Amino acid sequence: MAKTKSDLLQGTLDMLILKTLAVGEMHGWGIAQRIQQTSQGVLNINQGSLYPALYRLEEQGWVASSWDVSDNNRQAKYYKLTRAGRKQLTEETANWERMSAAVELVLQSN
């Protein structure tokens, strides 16, 4: 039986969160659900990874947060991408594409 591994590479979660927030403001649970849905269930982000990453992104000024009422009438902290976060997302996406192309070259070599 083949073992599947869906652990994220270090730093990848930050990029995925920034990309998810590029769509619009979202609360933590919504971010995790969106990543799971868009990855077709391959990536499951647990709270123990998500919230420290959101805190880190907010400390770096790439994400801003505010409290509001969610769809189910509960208080939730909503996160949105800042201008600096949008710039960081562009840089991280370019770096990811460069690195994944390099890995692909190595995998295709004889």
Side-chain angles (χ1 to χ4, degrees), residues 6-7 17 35 50 54 60 65 87 90-91 97 100 102-103:
S6 60
D7 292 341
I17 291 170
I35 291 172
L50 177 65
L54 285 167
Q60 292 170 321
S65 66
K87 181 180 176 190
T90 300
E91 291 174 12
E97 290 171 349
S100 63
V103 169

Side-chain angles (χ1 to χ4, degrees), residues 54-90:
L54 285 167
Y55 178 78
R56 186 175 54 248
L57 293 171
E58 194 169 11
E59 285 293 307
Q60 292 170 321
W62 298 338
V63 166
S65 66
S66 61
W67 289 95
D68 204 347
V69 178
S70 67
D71 292 339
N72 60 6
N73 209 26
R74 291 184 175 175
Q75 284 287 320
K77 196 171 189 179
Y78 281 80
Y79 299 89
K80 66 180 179 183
L81 198 59
T82 64
R83 181 179 293 185
R86 198 166 297 279
K87 181 180 176 190
Q88 184 64 24
L89 174 59
T90 300

